[in-house]
Amino acid sequence: MATQNAAKVKRLGVIGAGQMGLGIALVAALKAGVPVTLVDNSQASLNKGLAFAAKDISKKRITPDQADDARLKLTGTTSIGELAGVDFVIEAVPEIPQLKFDIFAKLAEVCPRHAILATNTSSIPITRIAAATTKDPKDTSSSSRVVSTHFMNPVPVQKGVEIISGLQTSAETLDTAITFCRAMGKIPSVSADSPGFLANRILMPYINEAVICLETGVGDRDSIDSIMTNGTNVPMGPLQLADFIGLDTCLAIMRVLHLETGDSKYRPSVLLAKMVDAGWLGKKSGKGFYDY
Ligand SMILES: *[C@@H]1O[C@H](CO)[C@@H](O)[C@H](O)[C@H]1NC(C)=O
Ligand SMILES: *[C@@H]1O[C@H](CO)[C@@H](O)[C@H](O)[C@H]1NC(C)=O
C-alpha cells in the first residue's frame, strides 16, 4: 500500500521559490528523483532561485551525469495552471493566511483529482486551509487531500519533518505524505492539527521560559545557556538558539500558541517582545541576546 502510494508521485509541484521552496524542490529532485515544477509569481525570483539551485547541485558529491539529471528535473513557471500534471504539491509561501487560502482554492481547481495538496505552514490550522478548497463543506473531495508537510529549516540539512492531518484529511492522504517524505530521505513525525504542532509546541515555550528566567533574574545569560549545553547535552543554549531562529519568529509563534489556546502558560515574555520592538532580532540583525 505504502510503496504503491510513493510510486504514485511521478511529478511534484512546489509553490514559492524562497529558501524553503527551493530546498524542498532540490531535495525532491535529488533524493526522490522526481521532476519538480516550481511556481512563483515573480519571474525574477524564479530565475534567481533556479540559478541558485543549479549552483548548489554542482557542490553535491554526485557524478556530473547525476547533477545534470537533477538540474533538468527542476523547471520554473509563474503560472499555477501548469500544475495540472502533478501528483503532489507542496506550498511554501509566506505565512499570510489569505494568500494560502487563495492558493489552495486555486490548487483544488487546477490539480488532478488525486493530487495531494500539502502546506508547509507553521502557524495556520491545516483544517482551515483544507476548508478553503471548497464552498461546500460536505464535499470533501478536495479537502480530504490537504495535509501539512512541515519541513525544518534548512531542508537539505534537517532530517525531521512533521506531517499534520486536518479534520478533513483522509488516511490515504496521510499515508502518501509520509511515504513521499521518506522517499525524500526525511524522517516523518505525525502530529495532530494543534497550535505549534509538536516541534514549536515544545521548543518555543522552552525558549520563552529561558527568556523569562533572564527577565526575572533567575539567572544571567551565560548561566542559562551554559547549564543547558553543559548540563543537558544540547548543542546550543536556548538564548543563543533564539538568536539563530530570530526573536521575531519566536515571539510570533508564542503569540499564536497563546491566542489559539487561550492558555496563560504560553504568555510571551515581556522582555522578548521588547527586544523585538528594539529591532534586536538576533543573528540576522547583528544583535540579540548576543552580539554578532
Ligand atoms: C516552512 O516551515 C519552516 C519551519 O517552521 C519555517 O522556518 C519556514 O519559514 C516555512 N517556510 C515557508 C516559506 O512556508
Ligand atoms: C560550557 O562550559 C564551558 C567550560 O566552562 C564554557 O566555556 C562554555 O561557555 C559553556 N557553554 C555555554 C554555552 O555557556
Side-chain angles (χ1 to χ4, degrees):
M1 170 79 178
T3 25
Q4 218 175 340
N5 280 340
K8 277 200 316 216
V9 182
K10 295 209 159 52
R11 177 171 279 277
L12 176 72
V14 172
I15 305 185
Q19 196 203 357
M20 202 74 195
L22 277 176
I24 293 168
L26 202 60
V27 173
L30 284 167
K31 299 270 171 136
V34 292
V36 182
T37 306
L38 191 60
V39 184
D40 197 289
N41 56 12
S42 148
Q43 186 66 49
S45 300
L46 274 176
N47 294 347
K48 211 175 113 197
L50 289 171
F52 176 86
K55 240 173 78 189
D56 207 53
I57 289 170
S58 314
K59 289 191 224 140
K60 305 271 179 220
R61 264 180 284 161
I62 50 178
T63 68
D65 278 356
Q66 285 169 326
D68 283 341
D69 178 62
R71 269 186 223 102
L72 285 172
K73 283 201 160 83
L74 299 177
T75 50
T77 175
T78 55
S79 161
I80 201 167
E82 287 194 30
L83 296 181
V86 302
D87 310 298
F88 203 110
V89 190
I90 301 174
E91 165 276 314
V93 303
E95 289 285 299
I96 304 164
Q98 196 56 51
L99 177 63
K100 300 216 186 220
F101 300 156
D102 291 346
I103 287 173
F104 276 79
K106 189 82 190 155
L107 287 175
E109 258 172 52
V110 304
C111 294
R113 304 306 291 166
H114 70 273
I116 304 295
L117 313 176
T119 172
N120 177 65
T121 186
S122 50
S123 62
I124 305 165
I126 313 312
T127 303
R128 225 175 275 165
I129 293 177
T133 60
T134 177
K135 290 198 171 70
D136 174 10
K138 288 196 304 298
D139 174 9
T140 58
S141 59
S142 294
S143 58
S144 63
R145 292 181 285 119
V146 176
V147 67
S148 170
T149 49
H150 187 213
F151 290 91
M152 304 286 137
N153 226 340
V155 183
V157 178
Q158 303 284 9
K159 285 217 176 291
V161 58
E162 288 181 308
I163 316 278
I164 303 120
S165 287
L167 219 49
Q168 308 94 325
T169 310
S170 72
E172 197 197 352
T173 297
L174 179 66
D175 189 50
T176 307
I178 291 172
T179 309
F180 184 63
C181 285
R182 286 211 177 107
M184 285 177 68
K186 298 299 171 199
I187 303 167
S189 282
V190 173
S191 164
D193 188 14
S194 181
F197 312 130
L198 283 173
N200 284 333
R201 165 82 172 262
I202 297 167
L203 180 63
M204 291 304 166
Y206 158 75
I207 286 175
N208 194 54
E209 198 62 29
V211 184
I212 291 174
C213 284
L214 180 68
E215 178 180 4
T216 56
V218 179
D220 64 17
R221 179 194 75 183
D222 292 344
S223 294
I224 291 168
D225 275 358
S226 178
I227 194 60
M228 298 316 290
T229 55
N230 290 309
T232 72
N233 207 24
V234 292
M236 223 185 252
L239 299 175
Q240 192 188 3
L241 180 59
D243 276 357
F244 275 80
I245 294 171
L247 304 194
D248 50 344
T249 302
C250 295
L251 178 64
I253 297 171
M254 281 313 292
R255 284 193 168 139
V256 168
L257 287 173
H258 193 213
L259 189 79
E260 297 257 338
T261 63
D263 191 332
S264 63
K265 78 175 177 181
Y266 298 117
R267 179 183 66 76
S269 146
V270 172
L271 175 61
L272 183 64
K274 269 200 277 190
M275 289 182 68
V276 171
D277 284 342
W280 300 345
L281 308 180
K283 191 163 183 289
K284 65 182 167 190
S285 70
K287 185 173 175 60
F289 295 106
Y290 296 80
D291 291 323
Y292 299 90

